[in-house]
Amino acid sequence: MAVRVKIRVKSRSSNKSLEITVLVNGGAESTKPCIVVDEDVARELGLWPISHGRVLEVEEASSISEAVVIEDSVELELIGDECEVLSRIKADLVVQRELIEPLITDATIDELGIQVFGDISATRQVGFAHQCLEYSDIRVLIA
């Protein structure tokens, strides 16, 4: 089951921002909140090319690739159906070449308060706690 949410990504240095749809990927692990994007998104935020950053080796299911971590460089806002901000956190921007789809990691999912409920045969839900939003076959609950 693939779950996607809308995130507003704001550069903390350039004050540029973008709204993008990201994959909620609990299998992508990180020690702190981060969003993984390609070079084009980083460039639109004014964060690419960079003069500093940490190179990270990324282990995927069938390969190992490299990514650049730009620490504490962005603020992420989880956006609801009515364009309201549901939650907000500071995060690292991870830039990975040839990335097919932007994604958020397990630590980011937890910090934003996202919980995914349901099984293949049931209604899929992305939960926050109390308020409920409908996204086709996904239900979003908000703290």
Side-chain angles (χ1 to χ4, degrees):
M1 163 177 54
V3 175
R4 291 168 180 83
V5 296
K6 186 181 287 185
I7 298 282
R8 181 178 298 122
V9 185
K10 293 181 176 181
S11 167
R12 295 183 67 208
S13 62
S14 72
N15 290 320
K16 294 181 180 180
S17 68
L18 293 178
E19 284 188 17
I20 59 175
T21 300
V22 299
L23 180 64
V24 176
N25 188 350
E29 299 174 338
S30 63
T31 57
K32 59 190 270 197
C34 67
I35 183 169
V36 184
V37 301
D38 63 16
E39 293 166 313
D40 292 336
V41 170
R43 190 174 291 110
E44 286 186 60
L45 290 168
L47 295 170
W48 195 262
I50 61 166
S51 58
H52 68 285
R54 180 171 49 94
V55 176
L56 177 70
E57 202 170 73
V58 179
E59 292 182 24
E60 299 168 293
S62 61
S63 65
I64 296 175
S65 61
E66 286 187 345
V68 176
V69 179
I70 308 170
E71 294 188 11
D72 299 319
S73 58
V74 294
E75 182 176 271
L76 305 179
E77 295 177 342
L78 181 63
I79 305 300
D81 266 348
E82 310 278 324
C83 297
E84 73 276 26
V85 176
L86 305 176
S87 58
R88 177 183 292 122
I89 62 170
K90 290 185 175 82
D92 294 346
L93 186 77
V94 178
V95 182
Q96 188 172 359
R97 285 193 166 112
E98 300 179 21
L99 185 71
I100 295 171
E101 180 174 21
L103 62 91
I104 55 176
T105 64
D106 61 344
T108 313
I109 294 164
D110 291 345
E111 287 291 316
L112 287 170
I114 298 171
Q115 298 174 356
V116 179
F117 303 99
D119 59 43
I120 286 298
S121 62
T123 301
R124 293 173 180 91
Q125 300 175 348
V126 178
F128 296 86
H130 299 99
Q131 185 180 356
C132 178
L133 301 173
E134 296 291 331
Y135 292 109
S136 59
D137 68 339
I138 298 172
R139 185 181 295 170
V140 178
L141 304 173
I142 302 148

